[in-house]
C-alpha cells in the first residue's frame, strides 16, 4: 500500500534550539545523590511530586543514603493511590522508608481537633512525624518539601549548612522570577546551601527535527516555542501560529 503523509502536523518546540546542555534523569540522580551524601545536615528536595520519575529518583536517593523520605500530607494521597499501580514502582504510605510530615494547624499544638477530613487518617500513623521529630534526626531524613512548606523550616530549627535541592526548571517569566527571589530569601535567611539539578521532560531539538522530518506532513504548525524558524530545516511549509487566530486543519 502507498504510504500516506498527513496533511498537517502540530509540534511543540520548547527545546528546539537547545542541544548544548546534557540532561537526563540519571544525571539528576547522580548529582542529587552526591549532594545528599556529602552532608549530615537536613536536606530538602523541591520538585513536582506528580512527576513519578523524579519522585522515585529522590525516594531511591533517600534509601541509598540511609535516610527516610519525608512527604507532605497532601502528597501522601498521591503515594496511597499511585502505589496501587505496580508498574509505577511508587512506595505506599506504610513503606518503611517513608515518613509523613504533620504540619501545625489551627491551635498550633498538634491537637486532634486541628485535623479534619481525609487528613485524619494520617495523624496517628506510626510513620507520621512532626517538625520537631524531623529536627531531631537531620542526617536521617530527605524532605520532599518545597517553597509552599517553607514555614516548616521555622519549627525544624534549621541549622546553617542545610541543603536545598531545586529540582525544577529555572524561572522563565516574571512571575516565576519573583517566586524565585522569595525562595532565595528563605534559603539565605536560614543559611542553607542551594543546589540546582533538573532535566526537562521535553524532547531534544535533534529528536524533534528527526520526528518532524520522518512524519513529513504537508504543513507544520510549531507551538510552545520561541524558535519556530528552526523547523525550516526539515519542513518547507510552516505556519507561524498567532494567538487568538483560528486555524482550520
Amino acid at each position: 500500500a502507498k504510504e500516506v503523509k498527513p496533511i498537517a502536523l502540530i509540534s511543540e518546540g520548547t527545546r528546539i534550539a537547545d542541544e548544548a546542555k546534557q540532561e537526563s534523569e540519571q544525571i539528576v540522580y547522580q548529582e542529587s545523590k552526591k549532594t545528599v551524601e556529602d552532608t549530615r545536615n537536613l536536606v530538602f528536595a523541591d520538585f513536582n511530586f506528580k512527576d513519578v520519575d523524579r519522585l522515585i529518583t529522590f525516594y531511591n536517593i533517600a534509601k541509598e543514603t540511609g535516610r527516610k523520605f519525608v512527604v507532605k500530607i497532601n502528597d501522601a494521597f498521591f503515594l496511597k493511590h499511585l502505589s496501587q499501580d505496580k508498574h509505577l514502582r511508587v512506595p505506599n504510605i506504610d513503606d518503611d522508608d517513608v515518613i509523613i510530615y504533620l504540619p501545625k494547624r489551627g491551635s498550633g499544638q498538634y491537637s486532634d481537633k486541628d485535623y479534619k477530613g481525609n487528613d485524619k487518617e494520617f495523624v496517628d500513623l506510626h510513620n507520621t512525624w512532626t517538625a520537631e521529630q524531623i529536627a531531631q534526626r537531620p542526617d536521617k531524613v530527605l524532605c520532599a518539601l518545597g517553597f509552599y512548606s517553607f514555614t516548616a523550616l521555622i519549627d525544624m530549627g534549621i541549622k546553617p549548612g542545610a541543603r536545598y535541592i531545586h529540582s525544577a526548571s529555572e524561572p522563565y517569566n516574571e512571575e516565576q522570577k519573583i517566586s524565585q527571589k522569595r525562595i532565595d530569601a528563605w534559603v539565605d535567611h536560614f543559611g542553607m546551601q542551594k543546589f540546582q539539578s533538573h532535566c526537562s521532560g521535553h524532547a531534544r531539538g535533534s529528536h524533534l527535527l528527526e520526528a518532524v522530518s520522518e512524519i513529513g506532513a504537508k504543513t507544520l504548525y510549531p507551538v510552545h516555542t520561541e524558535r519556530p524558524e528552526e523547523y525550516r530545516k526539515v519542513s518547507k511549509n510552516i505556519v507561524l501560529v498567532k494567538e487568538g487566530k483560528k486555524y482550520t486543519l
Side-chain angles (χ1 to χ4, degrees), residues 29-96:
Y29 163 79
Q30 293 170 346
E31 292 177 345
S32 299
K33 184 177 180 181
K34 187 177 188 307
T35 298
V36 176
E37 285 177 329
D38 291 347
T39 184
R40 295 184 63 79
N41 210 327
L42 277 169
V43 180
F44 298 87
D46 190 354
F47 60 94
N48 182 352
F49 207 84
K50 294 186 288 294
D51 182 341
V52 173
D53 290 328
R54 191 62 44 83
L55 160 61
I56 294 174
T57 288
F58 280 103
Y59 167 73
N60 287 335
I61 289 174
K63 288 182 60 176
E64 294 167 15
T65 56
R67 293 174 180 252
K68 301 292 187 181
F69 186 57
V70 180
V71 304
K72 300 176 296 184
I73 280 185
N74 289 347
D75 291 335
F77 287 102
F78 280 104
L79 297 187
K80 180 179 179 180
H81 294 287
L82 292 179
S83 62
Q84 296 176 20
D85 186 339
K86 301 304 179 182
H87 296 92
L88 295 178
R89 298 176 291 114
V90 172
N92 205 341
I93 57 174
D94 59 355
D95 187 279
D96 290 339

Side-chain angles (χ1 to χ4, degrees), residues 90-230:
V90 172
N92 205 341
I93 57 174
D94 59 355
D95 187 279
D96 290 339
D97 294 294
V98 170
I99 296 297
I100 301 171
Y101 164 59
L102 184 68
K104 287 182 178 179
R105 290 182 178 158
S107 68
Q109 301 297 318
Y110 298 115
S111 169
D112 287 343
K113 296 179 180 179
D114 293 336
Y115 304 94
K116 303 176 182 179
N118 293 328
D119 287 355
K120 288 184 177 180
E121 69 176 287
F122 301 112
V123 174
D124 295 322
L125 294 181
H126 72 281
N127 59 331
T128 296
W129 289 3
T130 64
E132 290 79 6
Q133 287 175 297
I134 292 172
Q136 293 170 7
R137 307 165 175 84
D139 61 335
K140 299 300 182 182
V141 294
L142 193 167
C143 304
L145 304 178
F147 173 68
Y148 293 104
S149 298
F150 269 13
T151 52
L153 303 184
I154 300 171
D155 295 320
M156 290 181 185
I158 301 299
K159 296 179 181 179
R163 298 189 168 189
Y164 167 72
I165 304 173
H166 186 257
S167 193
S169 59
E170 298 280 13
Y172 56 83
N173 59 37
E174 190 61 30
E175 183 178 354
Q176 290 183 351
K177 289 178 181 178
I178 293 174
S179 294
Q180 187 62 59
K181 289 181 179 179
R182 295 189 182 118
I183 291 174
D184 293 341
W186 278 87
V187 169
D188 292 342
H189 175 76
F190 285 100
M192 300 171 69
Q193 296 175 300
K194 181 184 174 184
F195 298 82
Q196 173 70 25
S197 185
H198 179 60
C199 70
S200 171
H202 296 281
R204 297 179 63 181
S206 59
H207 296 167
L208 289 169
L209 294 175
E210 181 180 351
V212 170
S213 177
E214 184 174 340
I215 293 171
K218 181 178 179 181
T219 305
L220 176 67
Y221 295 80
V223 297
H224 205 262
T225 177
E226 296 178 349
R227 300 286 294 277
E229 68 279 358
E230 290 289 325

